[in-house]
């Protein structure tokens, strides 16, 4: 109907390519335009000025011989002032962009190991964008941005990489566990040493108290009973304690059999042994 009344409508964000008897005349902006077709004017085609996106999947090999699929996302649009170049100079802009992406990725990725590809994907995207910008600007296209959106190694390689990572983490966990056990053993040994030290200190104090008590008993007995020597009093006290001990052993409900030499001579020997032990302990404390 528009062609019948020699009027055409160009939508927003679109340019129309006007030809006059088959020759390019001008690019029509959005709005209503009069094209008297009887004078050889017509619309040869339309171009969208909106930003378009092209996803390109490229298979290549890394420096360490790992095959990967690299997915690049290219965002581009037609320059309004160069719509004629975009319309007439390229028959298939998508294929052209795809060819440049293949060329740059297959030149960049084989220089890197698989781990470096993941780390330097932004550098790869920048290289693709720079190359596309130089190439496509001559055809009236503006490259807005290029992104490396995915890097897919072979499934076996991904499984191996995951196993390497898991093994490294297990090794780190084992190391931390061993360090924790080492700390526990050290603390346990320090606790046992402190416990034994305190137990020994308690025994030493107990023996000191026994010695002090015996000394006080000897002095008190010597003062109250004239003519007795300290040795006599000490022998009597030790013999008394010896019999008290025998009594306690016999009276205990869970007492086991204890064989001790018993007799007048044995009592004297026991007294001598007790005396020597207490004196030795006293010397050790001092």
């Amino acid at each position: 109907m528009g062609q019948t009344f020699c009027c055409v409508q160009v939508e927003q964000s679109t340019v129309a390519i006007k030809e006059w008897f088959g020759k390019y005349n001008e690019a029509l902006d959005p709005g209503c335009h009069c094209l008297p077709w009887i004078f050889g004017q017509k619309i040869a085609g339309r171009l969208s000025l909106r930003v378009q996106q092209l996803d390109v999947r490229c298979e290549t090999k890394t420096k360490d011989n790992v095959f990967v699929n690299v997915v690049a996302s290219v965002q581009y649009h037609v320059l309004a002032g160069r719509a004629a170049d975009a319309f007439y100079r390229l028959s298939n802009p998508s294929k052209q962009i795809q060819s440049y992406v293949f060329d740059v990725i297959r030149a960049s990725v084989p220089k890197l190991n698989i781990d470096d590809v993941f780390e330097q994907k932004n550098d790869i995207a920048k290289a693709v964008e720079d190359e596309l910008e130089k190439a496509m600007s001559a055809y009236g296209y503006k490259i807005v941005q290029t992104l490396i959106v995915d890097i897919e190694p072979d499934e076996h390689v991904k499984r191996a990489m995951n196993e390497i990572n898991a093994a490294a983490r297990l090794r780190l966990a084992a190391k931390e566990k061993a360090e924790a056990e080492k700390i526990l053993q050290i603390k346990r040994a320090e606790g046992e040493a402190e416990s034994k030290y305190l137990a020994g200190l308690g025994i030493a104090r107990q023996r000191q108290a026994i010695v002090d008590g015996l000394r006080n008993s000897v002095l008190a007995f010597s003062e109250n009973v004239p003519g007795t020597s300290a040795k006599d009093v000490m022998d009597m006290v030790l013999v008394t304690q010896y019999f008290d001990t025998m009594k306690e052993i016999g009276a205990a409900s869970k007492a086991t059999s204890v064989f001790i030499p018993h007799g007048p001579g044995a009592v004297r020997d026991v007294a001598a042994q007790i005396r020597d032990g207490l004196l030795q302990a006293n010397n050790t404390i001092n």
Side-chain angles (χ1 to χ4, degrees), residues 17 22 29 32 42 44 49 84 92 103 119 138 142 156 174 204 228 239:
I17 303 300
D29 295 328
C32 184
K42 69 171 184 177
L49 300 180
N92 194 333
D103 181 66
E119 294 177 0
K142 168 69 175 176
H156 297 290
T228 57
V239 171

Side-chain angles (χ1 to χ4, degrees), residues 141-213:
Y141 284 88
K142 168 69 175 176
I143 303 301
V144 179
Q145 193 171 17
T146 302
L147 303 173
I148 301 298
V149 295
D150 197 7
I151 300 173
E152 300 177 354
D154 182 77
E155 187 65 29
H156 297 290
V157 176
K158 287 197 293 184
R159 188 180 301 111
M161 292 174 68
N162 291 333
E163 290 177 356
I164 292 173
N165 185 270
R169 293 182 181 276
L170 288 174
R171 184 168 61 252
L172 180 60
K175 181 179 178 181
E176 294 296 331
K177 183 178 179 180
E179 288 293 331
E181 291 179 353
K182 176 182 176 182
I183 293 173
L184 288 176
Q185 291 179 358
I186 292 174
K187 293 299 182 182
R188 190 180 297 112
E190 291 177 352
E192 291 178 357
E194 184 68 18
S195 176
K196 291 179 179 178
Y197 169 76
L198 294 175
L201 186 62
I203 292 173
R205 289 178 178 176
Q206 179 184 17
R207 290 177 178 177
Q208 181 66 41
I210 293 172
V211 171
D212 292 341

